[in-house]
Amino acid sequence: MSVKIRKEDALNFHSQGKPGKIEVVPTKMLSSQRDLALAYSPGVAEPCLEIADEKENVYKYTAKGNLVGVISNGTAVLGLGDIGPEASKPVMEGKGVLFKKFAGIDVFDIEVDAKDPQHFINVVKALEPTFGGINLEDIKAPESFIIEEELKKQMSIPVMHDDQHGTAIISSAALLNALELAGKKIEEIKIVVLGAGAAAIACAKLYLSLGAKIENITMFDKTGAVHEGRKNMDPSRVMFGEGKQDKTIDEALEGADMLLGLSTGNIIKKEQIQLMAENPIVFALANPEPEIAYPEAMASRDDIIMATGRSDHPNQVNNVLGFPYIFRGALDVRATAINEEMKLAAVKALAKLAKESVPEIVTKAYGDEHISFGKNYLIPKPLDPRLITAVSPAVAKAAMDSGVAKFKISDWEAYDLELQKRIGIDQGLLSRIIDRAKKDPKRIVFAEADHPKILKAAENLRDEGIAKPILLGNKNRIEQIALDNKIDLNGFPIIDPFHQQEKLEQFGKIFYKKRKRKGITLQEGVKLMRDRNYFGAMMVECGEADALISGLTKDYASTIRPALQTIGVEDGLNRVAGMYIVGNQKGNYFLADTTVNVNPNVDELVEIIGMTARGVRFFDHEPRVAVLSYSNFGSSKGDVPSKTALATKLAKEKYPELVVEGDMQANVALNTELQKELYPFSELAEEGANTLVFPDLTSGNIAYKLLMEIGGAEAIGPVLIGMKKPVHILQLGSSVREIVNMVAIAVVDAQVQKHK
């Protein structure tokens, strides 16, 4: 399902908090006068002098080696056209975010007020001392060809216009695999290209590098076929018209093996696809609407192999599969260019990765039990964590072999580990959860639907296809709040427990049977069902909803109590626990118990360790558990060290497959060098802990809140673990984004429960 984006949401996303999407963060401590003196005057003079003596030292003493300039003049911004450099800035910031997220590369975005190619070239050339590489973006053809070609000649750092080469690289990988499935050879296939802009020409040229024959390529632009009889044709297209005669699209498609679309939506009919040769390859890459709609193309014939630019269809040709990892490899060997050999290496690495066994972390993210090489899986998925270790080393090696690398990599295994550490291999955790939720959205009942944040979150959830919201509360009040906040409630069931007498009695009787030996009368049971937390929990218990979300406006204890009394804990467990996921550049860390158990005893702590480990595995991570204390392996005495040490011992016996250590101080649990030096016997000495179990609620709650507020970490949670059916409690005052994230977790939780 494609994501529906409302204008107001997009503007708020970019304007709220700090305007824009990026900021500069110091990489060194600046906490004292000495730090400042080292960072600036007088200490900064020393690296300046070293660089003055030897320019290559700039890579040693500055961020140049991990810094890419994303540069545009705003003449071809997305599908918006020539909207100017200022208007292109949100896109360039967005490109910077993708570089950082997927490859750990820092970016300065630069918008240049220069339509004249030579002026633009002069500006960018003058910036060479700043950057390790240049990503040109959203520059219209034919100027983009001239600019890139000239800058590649004049600059000794990698330069790539991603609009051209990104699409070319990804579609080439898909083409190689499609040809293998079709049983065809690239040098023999007949190719029709719809569109003659920067991306289309770059694709065609890269296909030639892979072995395609230029005489077998027929290209069309807005005027018609590119042929030698045309006058005043763009110089970049001339080579594709040499020796060619004018023809119609239908004539070109007759017996064609491949159709590449980089033009505009809905210009091809299924009857035209039927003109093509056996096992036709159709890459309809116009966005947001392909040249032919995916369902129509697939219905036109059984032997079609198809790709689009959309995420809601198989084989999405997405540039994010390429540019972050290509620049990563180029930067890491200090390449002087991104040449044809490096692009071809990226193509072959992507094609090869698609044929490898797909890890469970990817199949779960996309909700498919089996993803394997075939017509519906020609290229890797964008959230595949193996991309960086597949593409970047291939590009780096190609740079070395082709003679454009200034730095040589000798230990490739160590390089793979370095790549993973740069981005934190877990960076896609929430993205995978959201994508997994979209594959099978569940009914989520909101107990606090008379709050604008809940309604806004529900609208987002519906638009993105993550969940099917059910709203509890007074209908008139909910509709008025929605009207005041311009929220679309179309399609949402709204249930007011006060006007559901039959349901109140039905639910009350069920509750009475559960709690009659706990002092509840039938009358009290019916009365309690008027409380939306009780009513919502009972909807989940009776199968009328798949999960409950509450807690935005009430304290945790009063929100969780109805769920515990109505649904209860999972069979075999005696309690529930709360877990937070705290993420930073190093990865994701799982903290428990942060919300429920005030001061667990040894046996309770053992159960919390087991529940937490299972909760971590729910997020496709293997837990490495540290049971925290103010002591290290008995170095200090007291109730807490004794409790955590004994709990660790019993947990090792109860869960022999689990990596668990304690008692440990938090810094030691995370610092592998310290462990190797002082506690080499620790099972966490090699990789460190990713799961932190606290001795009591006070320490856990304080820790995660400090990390959020002082450490600047992003936290997801609290995730309630141990319930018999999915119930998740929001943090007081959660943002709309945090509500959406928690619902995605609840949906996946419900999916798992369904399959038990």
Side-chain angles (χ1 to χ4, degrees), residues 40-211:
Y40 196 55
S41 182
V44 75
E46 299 304 329
C48 291
L49 292 172
E50 292 294 309
I51 296 166
D53 286 342
E54 174 53 62
K55 280 188 180 180
E56 284 299 297
N57 281 334
V58 70
Y59 289 96
K60 182 177 181 181
Y61 296 113
T62 77
K64 178 182 171 82
N66 194 51
L67 188 62
V68 165
V70 173
I71 305 180
S72 179
N73 61 4
T75 53
V77 181
L78 300 176
L80 305 174
D82 184 354
I83 59 174
E86 292 86 358
S88 77
K89 189 171 178 65
V91 180
M92 302 311 119
E93 286 187 357
K95 195 66 175 280
V97 169
L98 295 179
F99 266 110
K100 189 68 174 179
K101 176 180 175 66
F102 289 104
I105 294 172
D106 295 315
V107 162
F108 289 158
D109 65 289
I110 296 181
E111 294 71 37
V112 180
D113 188 7
K115 288 188 177 180
D116 174 67
Q118 192 55 54
H119 184 188
F120 188 91
I121 290 164
N122 292 340
V123 170
V124 178
K125 172 66 177 72
L127 295 171
E128 183 169 354
T130 301
F131 296 109
I134 300 292
N135 181 106
L136 300 172
E137 194 78 15
D138 290 352
I139 304 168
K140 75 181 181 72
E143 289 90 336
S144 58
F145 299 109
I146 299 166
I147 288 168
E148 186 194 42
E149 201 57 41
E150 198 57 39
L151 286 173
K152 286 168 70 174
K153 290 178 185 176
Q154 294 186 27
M155 301 181 81
S156 58
I157 58 174
V159 176
M160 186 172 86
H161 185 215
D162 184 53
D163 298 316
Q164 298 178 49
H165 304 295
T167 303
I169 289 164
I170 312 310
S171 73
S172 291
L175 175 57
L176 287 182
N177 284 342
L179 288 172
E180 183 175 325
L181 292 171
K184 298 181 180 183
K185 296 179 180 179
I186 193 166
E187 60 269 20
E188 297 173 355
I189 62 169
K190 181 181 174 184
I191 302 172
V192 177
V193 181
L194 300 182
I201 289 172
C203 285
K205 286 183 175 179
L206 197 55
Y207 298 169
L208 294 176
S209 295
L210 289 168

Side-chain angles (χ1 to χ4, degrees), residues 19 118 152 419 425 453 456 605 673 677 733:
Q118 192 55 54
K152 286 168 70 174
L419 289 171
I425 202 64
K453 284 184 182 178
K456 188 63 190 176
L605 199 55
E673 295 303 316
E677 179 185 351

Side-chain angles (χ1 to χ4, degrees), residues 638-690:
D639 291 341
V640 170
S642 297
K643 178 173 74 170
T644 52
L646 182 54
T648 301
K649 178 178 180 294
L650 296 176
K652 285 177 180 286
E653 295 171 0
K654 188 172 182 179
Y655 316 110
E657 80 290 349
L658 184 63
V659 175
V660 55
E661 281 290 5
D663 61 307
M664 298 183 79
Q665 293 177 356
N667 65 316
V668 175
L670 301 173
N671 189 326
T672 55
E673 295 303 316
L674 203 56
Q675 286 189 64
K676 288 174 185 176
E677 179 185 351
L678 300 176
Y679 311 106
F681 56 84
S682 170
E683 292 183 45
L684 299 172
E686 287 300 320
E687 296 185 75
N690 66 356

